[in-house]
Amino acid sequence: MKTNIKQILGFSEFDREITVKGWVRTRRGSSNVSFVALNDGSTIKNLQIVIENDNFDVNIIKAITTGACIAVEGTLVKSQGSGQTCEVLAKKIEILGESDADKYPIQPKAHTMEYLRENAHLRPRTNTFSAVFRVRHALAFAIHKYFNDNGFFYWHSPIITASDAEGAGQMFHVSTLNPTNPPKNEDGAINYKEDFFGAETSLTVSGQLEGELGAMALGLIYTFGPTFRAENSNTARHLAEFWMIEPEMAFYDIQDNMDLVENFLKYVIHYALENCPDDLEFLDKRFAEEEKKKKQEERSEMGLLEKLNFIVSNQFERLTYTEAIEILLNSSHHKKKKFEFEVKWGIDLQSEHERYLVEKHFKKPVILTNYPKAIKAFYMKQNEGEEVGKETVRAMDVLFPGIGEIVGGSQREENYDKLMSRINEVGIDPENLWWYLDTRKFGTCPHSGFGLGFERLMLFVTGMGNIRDVIPFPRTPQNAKF
Ligand code: 4AD
Ligand code: MG
């Protein structure tokens, strides 16, 4: 029976026979004895295998090269060397998969992130990426656990949809029509009635609208699935395919929504701290090395672990968009004209503004509320009694240091007439949303929700610098490899 290395490293009884299987990270030694660092992915730590070369066929010894996959039977003993507590004295070795060490793309040395992206099929075998993907698993699990433990139901919104929830028109079309010769209407437009679904369909940008339908029946729901955006933003924080977590809660107002998001984010980050100590310790060191390469003024004031612990134990700052604009306008940064984009009431905050607020001004996570109606989606609840031209909606964005926006959410407009007038204002065809509007006709209620970008959370927790490096196979403009 195979034991995984994580279990083996936890054993306190030695001189026992074990079988272990994994990939060779390095082999060193002399003509008499070889020391192999073996990794099986269960932990960032390697297991040392000690091999008396003379006890084995020379072809077996030769085949133990970086990248090869081997099975070892042997005795687990207390280590005589430093650097590990135990090691395996090999009795039987089987080469499961040879590796041409010279051609193996993952050499035992530092590679650039760009190079590793080109080799995304093998990069999970590096320390950095295996750590990142173990943390990814832990966070995904923690998210499900949090919601399950708090009475939420996992709700599956569709991936293929005929509606643009965010109204930003950044959708990938889904069609089985012949792209070179699609059926046309008399006016020359494509006749989607002849398409697979009998309508124009796309990949979803958000599961929210269908999520709301779930909340209006089950009370508390959350979605956790892939979402797709054809926005051509080639930044370190945007993917064309990313995973989003969208809880939706009947009877929650914007205050309840803020309380939930803060509690939830603290819980999942705390879970990672508790359950991924080795990986986070490794990533903490890596983060420190990366920060050293940056200019002094761009460096994070805290280490990775320090940052994570800080988030878990400090209250988020809550303020309105209008207050945030005041802070930005009064900042010396603004007075010295250091913002690239203009600051004035009504703008969609740019990443530089969000980061100024969290990193320089408050030095902690911020929840901004009550954004101008004009820059937010149609479904957000409108505030009342406001000056014409200064109308706001009960939006809430959570901003994190080093990331900017990590969560977007709001209280929803539950009033049929108000929602309808907003739909007409922004030019959405209400015919397409008849089912959504029905919830406002039949037993409507105050409700709220938010969307957390899973990879943005991953960026924060792992301290990685680019969103392409926290998902196994990133999809970005001009790139859908693997
Ligand atoms: O702010 P957004 O667009 O909000 C929604 O989609 C709402 N329907 C959510 C809701 O209220 N249920 O997106 C939510 C989050 C952002 O805050 C960001 O973290 C992430 O999704 N996000 C992206 N992550 C990676 N790549 C992209 N292109 C992203 N676009 C948004
Ligand atoms: Mg947003």
Side-chain angles (χ1 to χ4, degrees), residues 17 45 58 61 131 139 141 146 181 195 211 249 282 284 300 335 387 400 440 466 475:
E17 300 307 303
K45 293 179 179 156
V58 56
I61 301 294
L139 282 173
F141 184 80
Y146 178 86
N181 186 23
D195 204 349
M249 298 76 66
F282 173 85
D284 181 63
S300 162
K335 289 178 183 149
E387 208 184 301
F400 260 33
R440 274 63 173 174
N466 193 309
R475 267 60 184 126

mmCIF file of all heavy atoms in Angstrom, residues 17 45 58 61 131 139 141 146 181 195 211 249 282 284 300 335 387 400 440 466 475:
data_model
loop_
_atom_site.group_PDB
_atom_site.id
_atom_site.type_symbol
_atom_site.label_atom_id
_atom_site.label_comp_id
_atom_site.label_asym_id
_atom_site.label_seq_id
_atom_site.Cartn_x
_atom_site.Cartn_y
_atom_site.Cartn_z
ATOM 1 N N GLU A 17 8.402 -0.596 7.278
ATOM 2 C CA GLU A 17 8.483 -0.728 5.814
ATOM 3 C C GLU A 17 7.390 0.129 5.179
ATOM 4 O O GLU A 17 6.238 0.092 5.619
ATOM 5 C CB GLU A 17 8.283 -2.195 5.406
ATOM 6 C CG GLU A 17 9.317 -3.154 5.989
ATOM 7 C CD GLU A 17 10.752 -2.723 5.705
ATOM 8 O OE1 GLU A 17 11.097 -2.571 4.511
ATOM 9 O OE2 GLU A 17 11.522 -2.513 6.674
ATOM 10 N N LYS A 45 6.886 19.522 1.095
ATOM 11 C CA LYS A 45 8.139 18.906 1.537
ATOM 12 C C LYS A 45 8.482 17.676 0.708
ATOM 13 O O LYS A 45 7.606 16.916 0.320
ATOM 14 C CB LYS A 45 8.033 18.528 3.014
ATOM 15 C CG LYS A 45 7.938 19.758 3.888
ATOM 16 C CD LYS A 45 7.822 19.381 5.338
ATOM 17 C CE LYS A 45 7.753 20.629 6.208
ATOM 18 N NZ LYS A 45 7.090 20.354 7.478
ATOM 19 N N VAL A 58 22.294 -0.950 -12.668
ATOM 20 C CA VAL A 58 22.841 0.356 -13.051
ATOM 21 C C VAL A 58 21.843 1.152 -13.904
ATOM 22 O O VAL A 58 21.769 2.385 -13.841
ATOM 23 C CB VAL A 58 24.212 0.192 -13.747
ATOM 24 C CG1 VAL A 58 24.106 -0.742 -14.945
ATOM 25 C CG2 VAL A 58 24.805 1.524 -14.156
ATOM 26 N N ILE A 61 19.460 3.015 -11.604
ATOM 27 C CA ILE A 61 20.091 4.204 -11.019
ATOM 28 C C ILE A 61 20.154 5.329 -12.057
ATOM 29 O O ILE A 61 19.832 6.486 -11.759
ATOM 30 C CB ILE A 61 21.512 3.871 -10.494
ATOM 31 C CG1 ILE A 61 21.444 2.764 -9.431
ATOM 32 C CG2 ILE A 61 22.213 5.119 -9.955
ATOM 33 C CD1 ILE A 61 20.726 3.147 -8.155
ATOM 34 N N ALA A 131 2.269 24.666 -4.245
ATOM 35 C CA ALA A 131 1.784 25.363 -3.042
ATOM 36 C C ALA A 131 0.527 26.166 -3.386
ATOM 37 O O ALA A 131 -0.488 26.105 -2.685
ATOM 38 C CB ALA A 131 2.865 26.275 -2.480
ATOM 39 N N LEU A 139 -8.948 26.887 -0.064
ATOM 40 C CA LEU A 139 -9.862 28.034 -0.063
ATOM 41 C C LEU A 139 -11.231 27.643 -0.635
ATOM 42 O O LEU A 139 -12.264 28.057 -0.117
ATOM 43 C CB LEU A 139 -9.270 29.195 -0.865
ATOM 44 C CG LEU A 139 -8.179 30.002 -0.153
ATOM 45 C CD1 LEU A 139 -7.560 31.012 -1.118
ATOM 46 C CD2 LEU A 139 -8.726 30.728 1.077
ATOM 47 N N PHE A 141 -12.582 24.733 -0.586
ATOM 48 C CA PHE A 141 -13.236 23.902 0.433
ATOM 49 C C PHE A 141 -13.785 24.778 1.567
ATOM 50 O O PHE A 141 -14.914 24.588 2.024
ATOM 51 C CB PHE A 141 -12.237 22.877 0.974
ATOM 52 C CG PHE A 141 -12.855 21.928 1.952
ATOM 53 C CD1 PHE A 141 -13.606 20.854 1.504
ATOM 54 C CD2 PHE A 141 -12.711 22.118 3.318
ATOM 55 C CE1 PHE A 141 -14.203 19.983 2.406
ATOM 56 C CE2 PHE A 141 -13.308 21.260 4.227
ATOM 57 C CZ PHE A 141 -14.055 20.185 3.767
ATOM 58 N N TYR A 146 -17.933 27.240 4.807
ATOM 59 C CA TYR A 146 -18.515 28.425 5.448
ATOM 60 C C TYR A 146 -20.011 28.514 5.155
ATOM 61 O O TYR A 146 -20.833 28.681 6.055
ATOM 62 C CB TYR A 146 -17.816 29.700 4.963
ATOM 63 C CG TYR A 146 -18.412 30.951 5.553
ATOM 64 C CD1 TYR A 146 -17.991 31.428 6.795
ATOM 65 C CD2 TYR A 146 -19.434 31.633 4.901
ATOM 66 C CE1 TYR A 146 -18.565 32.563 7.365
ATOM 67 C CE2 TYR A 146 -20.019 32.765 5.458
ATOM 68 C CZ TYR A 146 -19.576 33.223 6.686
ATOM 69 O OH TYR A 146 -20.153 34.331 7.257
ATOM 70 N N ASN A 181 -21.351 31.068 -42.896
ATOM 71 C CA ASN A 181 -22.585 31.242 -43.665
ATOM 72 C C ASN A 181 -23.817 31.064 -42.780
ATOM 73 O O ASN A 181 -24.602 30.140 -42.959
ATOM 74 C CB ASN A 181 -22.595 30.220 -44.826
ATOM 75 C CG ASN A 181 -23.774 30.440 -45.735
ATOM 76 O OD1 ASN A 181 -24.327 31.536 -45.788
ATOM 77 N ND2 ASN A 181 -24.198 29.377 -46.421
ATOM 78 N N ASP A 195 -30.595 28.890 -34.468
ATOM 79 C CA ASP A 195 -29.429 28.431 -33.702
ATOM 80 C C ASP A 195 -29.862 27.345 -32.701
ATOM 81 O O ASP A 195 -31.052 27.116 -32.484
ATOM 82 C CB ASP A 195 -28.796 29.616 -32.963
ATOM 83 C CG ASP A 195 -27.325 29.369 -32.647
ATOM 84 O OD1 ASP A 195 -26.862 28.227 -32.797
ATOM 85 O OD2 ASP A 195 -26.646 30.336 -32.238
ATOM 86 N N GLY A 211 -29.288 33.386 -9.405
ATOM 87 C CA GLY A 211 -29.055 33.230 -7.968
ATOM 88 C C GLY A 211 -30.169 33.888 -7.169
ATOM 89 O O GLY A 211 -30.640 33.350 -6.167
ATOM 90 N N MET A 249 -28.973 36.580 -0.557
ATOM 91 C CA MET A 249 -29.670 36.390 0.704
ATOM 92 C C MET A 249 -30.997 37.147 0.757
ATOM 93 O O MET A 249 -31.009 38.381 0.681
ATOM 94 C CB MET A 249 -28.789 36.880 1.875
ATOM 95 C CG MET A 249 -27.479 36.145 2.038
ATOM 96 S SD MET A 249 -26.212 36.620 0.812
ATOM 97 C CE MET A 249 -25.896 38.308 1.234
ATOM 98 N N PHE A 282 6.112 28.873 2.835
ATOM 99 C CA PHE A 282 6.926 28.919 1.613
ATOM 100 C C PHE A 282 6.577 30.173 0.792
ATOM 101 O O PHE A 282 7.457 30.907 0.336
ATOM 102 C CB PHE A 282 6.690 27.656 0.779
ATOM 103 C CG PHE A 282 7.359 27.702 -0.561
ATOM 104 C CD1 PHE A 282 8.690 27.325 -0.705
ATOM 105 C CD2 PHE A 282 6.673 28.169 -1.679
ATOM 106 C CE1 PHE A 282 9.321 27.407 -1.945
ATOM 107 C CE2 PHE A 282 7.298 28.254 -2.919
ATOM 108 C CZ PHE A 282 8.623 27.876 -3.051
ATOM 109 N N ASP A 284 5.234 32.880 1.804
ATOM 110 C CA ASP A 284 5.642 34.072 2.557
ATOM 111 C C ASP A 284 7.097 34.432 2.225
ATOM 112 O O ASP A 284 7.430 35.593 1.978
ATOM 113 C CB ASP A 284 5.486 33.778 4.054
ATOM 114 C CG ASP A 284 5.859 34.957 4.933
ATOM 115 O OD1 ASP A 284 5.185 36.000 4.825
ATOM 116 O OD2 ASP A 284 6.828 34.842 5.712
ATOM 117 N N SER A 300 5.288 46.218 -0.323
ATOM 118 C CA SER A 300 4.250 46.046 0.681
ATOM 119 C C SER A 300 4.871 46.295 2.057
ATOM 120 O O SER A 300 5.993 45.886 2.323
ATOM 121 C CB SER A 300 3.723 44.609 0.587
ATOM 122 O OG SER A 300 3.035 44.263 1.753
ATOM 123 N N LYS A 335 -3.069 66.361 -4.919
ATOM 124 C CA LYS A 335 -2.577 67.739 -5.066
ATOM 125 C C LYS A 335 -1.266 67.779 -5.835
ATOM 126 O O LYS A 335 -0.990 68.736 -6.560
ATOM 127 C CB LYS A 335 -2.451 68.394 -3.685
ATOM 128 C CG LYS A 335 -3.857 68.669 -3.119
ATOM 129 C CD LYS A 335 -3.842 69.261 -1.738
ATOM 130 C CE LYS A 335 -5.296 69.430 -1.250
ATOM 131 N NZ LYS A 335 -5.399 69.292 0.201
ATOM 132 N N GLU A 387 -30.397 64.481 -4.454
ATOM 133 C CA GLU A 387 -30.327 65.568 -5.428
ATOM 134 C C GLU A 387 -30.261 64.991 -6.843
ATOM 135 O O GLU A 387 -29.566 63.994 -7.062
ATOM 136 C CB GLU A 387 -28.998 66.284 -5.143
ATOM 137 C CG GLU A 387 -28.909 67.731 -5.473
ATOM 138 C CD GLU A 387 -27.469 68.198 -5.196
ATOM 139 O OE1 GLU A 387 -27.007 68.071 -4.036
ATOM 140 O OE2 GLU A 387 -26.829 68.622 -6.155
ATOM 141 N N PHE A 400 -9.149 45.487 -1.361
ATOM 142 C CA PHE A 400 -8.086 44.855 -0.573
ATOM 143 C C PHE A 400 -6.721 45.425 -0.968
ATOM 144 O O PHE A 400 -6.502 45.749 -2.133
ATOM 145 C CB PHE A 400 -8.073 43.339 -0.832
ATOM 146 C CG PHE A 400 -8.750 42.521 0.240
ATOM 147 C CD1 PHE A 400 -9.843 43.010 0.932
ATOM 148 C CD2 PHE A 400 -8.275 41.248 0.555
ATOM 149 C CE1 PHE A 400 -10.469 42.249 1.916
ATOM 150 C CE2 PHE A 400 -8.884 40.479 1.539
ATOM 151 C CZ PHE A 400 -9.981 40.980 2.220
ATOM 152 N N ARG A 440 -40.276 40.168 -8.648
ATOM 153 C CA ARG A 440 -40.709 41.446 -8.066
ATOM 154 C C ARG A 440 -42.238 41.572 -8.095
ATOM 155 O O ARG A 440 -42.797 42.470 -7.469
ATOM 156 C CB ARG A 440 -40.080 42.609 -8.834
ATOM 157 C CG ARG A 440 -38.690 43.031 -8.364
ATOM 158 C CD ARG A 440 -37.653 41.959 -8.520
ATOM 159 N NE ARG A 440 -36.300 42.471 -8.210
ATOM 160 C CZ ARG A 440 -35.224 41.721 -8.159
ATOM 161 N NH1 ARG A 440 -35.305 40.421 -8.368
ATOM 162 N NH2 ARG A 440 -34.055 42.251 -7.892
ATOM 163 N N ASN A 466 0.544 37.842 -10.288
ATOM 164 C CA ASN A 466 -0.220 37.864 -11.537
ATOM 165 C C ASN A 466 -1.326 36.816 -11.490
ATOM 166 O O ASN A 466 -1.085 35.660 -11.146
ATOM 167 C CB ASN A 466 0.729 37.588 -12.717
ATOM 168 C CG ASN A 466 0.072 37.898 -14.046
ATOM 169 O OD1 ASN A 466 -1.032 37.434 -14.333
ATOM 170 N ND2 ASN A 466 0.751 38.682 -14.865
ATOM 171 N N ARG A 475 -7.037 31.726 -18.988
ATOM 172 C CA ARG A 475 -7.575 32.185 -20.278
ATOM 173 C C ARG A 475 -7.514 33.692 -20.300
ATOM 174 O O ARG A 475 -8.164 34.357 -19.474
ATOM 175 C CB ARG A 475 -9.036 31.738 -20.437
ATOM 176 C CG ARG A 475 -9.247 30.408 -21.171
ATOM 177 C CD ARG A 475 -8.600 29.303 -20.510
ATOM 178 N NE ARG A 475 -8.675 28.021 -21.190
ATOM 179 C CZ ARG A 475 -7.595 27.300 -21.479
ATOM 180 N NH1 ARG A 475 -6.369 27.771 -21.231
ATOM 181 N NH2 ARG A 475 -7.694 26.119 -22.011
#
